[in-house]
Amino acid sequence: MSFKTIIKKQVKWKAKLYSSALSSLIILQVIFGALLFSSGSGSSGHGRGNLNVQFSIYSLDTFLFITVFWAFIIAILFTTKAYRMDDLSIISSRTSSAIANILVLILYSFFAVLIMLASYYIQILGLMLMEKDTFIIDKLLISPSIFILCICSICLFSAIGLLFGYCFQGPSIIKIASIVLLAIGIISPIIFPESVNLQPFIQLPDLMLSGFYIIVSILCFTLCIWIADKSEVSRK
């Protein structure tokens, strides 16, 4: 079989084999949706005299945060020994397996956004049916730019998680470099908190942010393939 055919078969096989990952995301969304049902992602109160007003804000922010965290963990799990042992069931190499993992994670990112949006709309529907308080809806329909941004955000964290997992499986120099960079990334914001200012970055237009996320994701995925290729068992 050609390399392309092998990857196609691996993607199809892995997408079905690891479909329970999407079930775990649904469970997480249900749990956090239930926990935040009464308060939302943010709340505030105002009082004056005998009048008290309580505002609760419901948005995609919490659902997106849960989803990107899920994507990061699932991507790391794809690189663990248990998942690597599954590759023995099919024709594969470390390189083809890495490419298949990337394509499966991109596919799962799309389904994860659909699950995230479904959870959000189910919460809104439940609030409309059960709550007796005044309910104000602003931008109920998600714009295409927000939809693309959500997919790119999930892909980004999937790429970072996958790269994080592969870094500790490659050659020793890659492992040492990964540990040093990780330590610098953790210590720098603590020692120099003023140097970390994400406000201008967050205020960029959605499509510009999406483009940046895509570039970083491609870079991380490329490094994953390179590390997998360098870790390949040599053949004579």
Side-chain angles (χ1 to χ4, degrees):
M1 290 188 292
S2 66
F3 187 73
K4 182 179 178 180
T5 303
I6 291 173
I7 292 177
K8 286 174 63 176
K9 288 184 177 293
Q10 285 188 61
V11 170
K12 185 177 180 180
W13 179 74
K14 289 187 175 189
K16 292 181 179 179
L17 182 64
Y18 305 148
S19 58
S20 58
L22 294 175
S23 302
S24 65
L25 176 61
I26 295 174
I27 293 172
L28 283 174
Q29 297 283 12
V30 170
I31 292 174
F32 280 91
L35 292 174
L36 299 174
F37 187 82
S38 58
S39 61
S41 57
S43 60
S44 62
H46 301 275
R48 185 176 182 179
N50 295 327
L51 178 64
N52 287 313
V53 181
Q54 185 72 28
F55 297 95
S56 296
I57 301 172
Y58 296 85
S59 67
L60 275 175
D61 296 348
T62 304
F63 293 107
L64 180 60
F65 176 79
I66 296 167
T67 306
V68 296
F69 178 76
W70 165 87
F72 179 78
I73 298 299
I74 291 298
I76 293 178
L77 290 177
F78 271 29
T79 64
T80 57
K81 185 177 180 179
Y83 282 77
R84 294 200 309 271
M85 291 296 291
D86 290 333
D87 290 338
L88 299 176
S89 303
I90 54 175
I91 299 174
S92 66
S93 63
R94 293 187 179 181
T95 304
S96 64
S97 178
I99 296 174
N101 285 339
I102 291 170
L103 295 176
V104 170
L105 286 172
I106 293 174
L107 178 64
Y108 279 6
S109 297
F110 175 77
F111 286 115
V113 172
L114 297 181
I115 293 172
M116 181 183 74
L117 293 177
S119 303
Y120 172 68
Y121 285 122
I122 289 173
Q123 184 187 54
I124 296 299
L125 180 61
L127 287 166
M128 293 176 65
L129 295 175
M130 298 179 62
E131 292 288 339
K132 297 180 180 179
D133 299 328
T134 302
F135 195 69
I136 301 174
I137 299 177
D138 181 30
K139 297 181 181 179
L140 181 61
L141 296 178
I142 303 300
S143 65
S145 61
I146 293 294
F147 185 82
I148 295 172
L149 180 61
C150 290
I151 294 179
C152 294
S153 301
I154 298 171
C155 282
L156 174 63
F157 279 84
S158 298
I160 294 173
L162 196 68
L163 179 60
F164 184 81
Y166 273 114
C167 281
F168 291 93
Q169 296 174 19
S172 299
I173 187 172
I174 296 178
K175 294 179 182 178
I176 295 172
S178 302
I179 294 172
V180 172
L181 290 175
L182 180 63
I184 293 174
I186 294 175
I187 296 174
S188 296
I190 298 175
I191 300 177
F192 307 104
E194 67 281 354
S195 63
V196 181
N197 184 15
L198 299 178
Q199 192 65 27
F201 179 76
I202 295 173
Q203 292 177 347
L204 291 175
D206 294 337
L207 292 179
M208 189 176 294
L209 265 180
S210 300
F212 176 78
Y213 290 166
I214 290 173
I215 293 173
V216 177
S217 299
I218 292 174
L219 177 62
C220 292
F221 284 143
T222 303
L223 288 174
C224 290
I225 297 172
W226 180 77
I227 293 172
D229 182 67
K230 292 299 180 180
S231 305
E232 194 75 74
V233 178
S234 61
R235 294 180 294 271
K236 295 183 179 180

